[in-house]
């Protein structure tokens, strides 16, 4: 075992981005600079005192995954870690890591991924630390990691791993410098959990009866999981899982399951060959997109539909305790919670804010507008879980996706919803827009723009109902008379410049026509918000780059 002095990368890992919502994400070129990954990894180790502990390790298979795994294994051994549970070939989806931490009673886990960001030598890489409950590290720990990264002057790394482990592909247990490395099948435990939660017999019967589906794995980590579960265990026709082979660069694609980046699936679902059900997941398997024949299910609606119908699946047959959604997610799920007489929570953006609610049994289902849905079965969002819950509901109700969605809107009304992203902004103007808006919040109520009157304007702060911790500055919420909302915040996950996200929402009750064009239904709130926030004037942009 050697002890290498730390070289020149003292504070680089946290420069410009605080590892929080999704760990630390940077370009591969940055992450692979000598000493960079090592510094961040050592900072995590310094923050969590790893000696004698057990951790789960795996990633989404993107470029640099294998090298990073070897470095982390060597550093774990040098830092006195007792055991690493490693996905075969370094592969584990994010929800699978979360499940393994919990199932094996591990002390935490390391996830190598930049989620839905592109991969390959010119793409992104990331490292996230999850705690013993299986969820992303809370702010107190990420703050500690940041402090350690700033104070760090050296890192510990073990010797040559290849003598013990020439490949990461063979299942089994190995000893390396006093540390056990157990290589496990990445799919097995996760698939078993899904069988516990869902009625596989009912889904299989539906598929045997002619129900067709297409799952787009986007050449990312869910390929092997989806083939095993959807094709092998549930009997979907071979080839129902497309782009099933994980590639280091995701085949050059952008593995983000939304109508823009999963256009191939989206178009197929709106074409003559459309199967009954379409779905996709992202780079590390925690996001999902659901599409029916000719109908897209917006993530906020999906959360509401799942909350209203979860009891149809065995894992939720006793009912759900509460529903939590991130602040920019539409209020559709609040209406379901109200009707069911259960609690509804509005949290800041980022899955870690759901952890306490899930741990305390206050929320059972959670969701974000950014295609994340999940439950208390793990402490991450879970793409395939959402797909299977939808399939379970479809199997029990015997109706189409479109029927279920229309029925939902007829019962609860419809929340027209869209997110407008302004990307690659210079950081200064993006910050300027937010500062300006914050400075005039108290003057906004009563103001009218584009025929909409601002009712309330707030800089969203959240007090965790379980531990009382407070998160401030989580985005601006503008509420308009008549029930529309607009939320504005800067992305915390981008790796180039700044991204302004503007989230727009207009509620229409059941007496109004429920199938209007979404952008049309939102046109007033779009125009009003643009005027109130001074988007065109400050950003010098007339149109968003991405509308989802
Ligand atoms: C984005 C999403 C957010 C999600 C996060 C991690 O963060 O908007 O909902 O939790 O990715 O997947 P953002 O770039 O908006 O900070
Ligand atoms: Zn992801």
């Amino acid at each position: 075992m050697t002890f290498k002095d730390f070289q020149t990368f003292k504070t680089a890992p946290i420069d410009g981005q605080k590892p929080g919502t999704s760990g630390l994400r940077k370009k591969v070129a940055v992450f692979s600079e000598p000493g960079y990954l090592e510094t961040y990894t050592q900072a995590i180790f310094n923050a969590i005192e790893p000696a004698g502990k057990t951790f789960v390790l795996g990633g989404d298979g993107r470029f640099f995954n294998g090298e990073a795994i070897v470095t982390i294994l060597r550093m774990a051994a040098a830092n006195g870690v007792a055991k690493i549970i490693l996905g075969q070939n370094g592969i584990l989806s994010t929800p699978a890591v979360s499940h393994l931490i919990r199932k094996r009673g591990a002390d935490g886990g390391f996830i190598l991924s930049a989620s839905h960001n592109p991969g390959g030598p010119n793409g992104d890489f990331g490292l996230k630390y999850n705690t013993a409950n299986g969820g992303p590290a809370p702010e107190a720990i990420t703050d500690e990691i940041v402090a350690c990264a700033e104070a760090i002057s050296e890192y510990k790394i073990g010797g040559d791993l290849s003598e013990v482990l020439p490949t990461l592909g063979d299942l089994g247990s190995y000893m390396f410098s006093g540390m056990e490395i157990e290589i496990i099948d990445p799919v097995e435990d996760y698939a078993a959990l899904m069988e516990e939660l869902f009625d596989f017999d009912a889904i299989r019967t539906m598929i045997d009866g002619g129900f067709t589906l297409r799952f787009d794995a986007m050449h990312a980590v869910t390929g092997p999981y989806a083939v095993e579960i959807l094709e092998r265990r549930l009997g979907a026709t071979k080839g129902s899982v497309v782009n099933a082979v994980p590639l280091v660069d995701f085949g050059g694609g952008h593995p983000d399951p939304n109508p823009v980046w999963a256009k191939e699936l989206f178009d197929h679902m709106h074409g003559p060959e459309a199967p009954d059900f379409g779905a996709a997941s992202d780079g590390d398997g925690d996001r999902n997109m659901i599409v029916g024949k000719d109908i897209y299910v917006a993530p906020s609606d999906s959360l509401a539909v799942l909350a209203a119908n979860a009891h149809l699946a065995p894992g939720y047959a006793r009912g759900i305790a509460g529903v939590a959604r991130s602040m920019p997610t539409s209020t559709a799920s609040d209406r379901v919670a109200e009707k069911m007489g259960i609690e509804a929570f509005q949290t800041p953006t980022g899955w870690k804010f759901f952890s306490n609610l899930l741990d305390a049994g206050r929320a059972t289902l959670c969701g974000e507008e950014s295609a994340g849905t999940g439950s208390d079965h793990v402490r991450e969002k879970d793409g395939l879980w959402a797909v299977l819950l939808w399939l379970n509901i479809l199997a029990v109700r015997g109706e189409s996706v479109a029927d279920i969605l229309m029925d939902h809107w007829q019962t609860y009304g419809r929340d027209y919803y869209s997110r407008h992203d302004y990307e690659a902004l210079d950081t200064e103007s993006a910050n300027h827009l937010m500062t300006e808006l914050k400075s005039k919040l108290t003057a906004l109520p009563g103001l009218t723009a584009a025929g909409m009157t601002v009712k309330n304007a707030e800089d969203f702060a959240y007090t965790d109902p379980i531990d009382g911790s407070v998160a401030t500055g989580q985005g601006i919420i503008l509420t308009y008379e008549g029930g529309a909302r607009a939320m504005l915040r800067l992305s915390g996950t981008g790796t180039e410049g700044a991204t302004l996200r503007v989230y727009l929402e207009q509620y229409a009750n059941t007496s109004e026509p429920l199938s209007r064009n979404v952008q049309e239904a939102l046109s007033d709130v779009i125009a009003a918000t643009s005027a109130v926030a001074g988007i065109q004037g400050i950003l010098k942009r007339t149109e968003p780059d991405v509308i989802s």
Side-chain angles (χ1 to χ4, degrees), residues 36 42 73-74 101 117 176 178 256 287 343 420 491 521:
Y36 192 99
Q42 188 65 52
L73 286 171
R74 291 174 58 205
I101 295 172
N117 292 9
F176 169 64
D256 197 1
R287 293 187 173 198
E343 284 192 286
H420 290 192
S491 157

Side-chain angles (χ1 to χ4, degrees), residues 25 94 113-116 255 282-287 381:
R25 277 187 207 162
T94 292
S113 172
S115 188
H116 49 286
D282 72 329
D284 61 328
D286 58 358
R287 293 187 173 198
K381 51 194 179 242

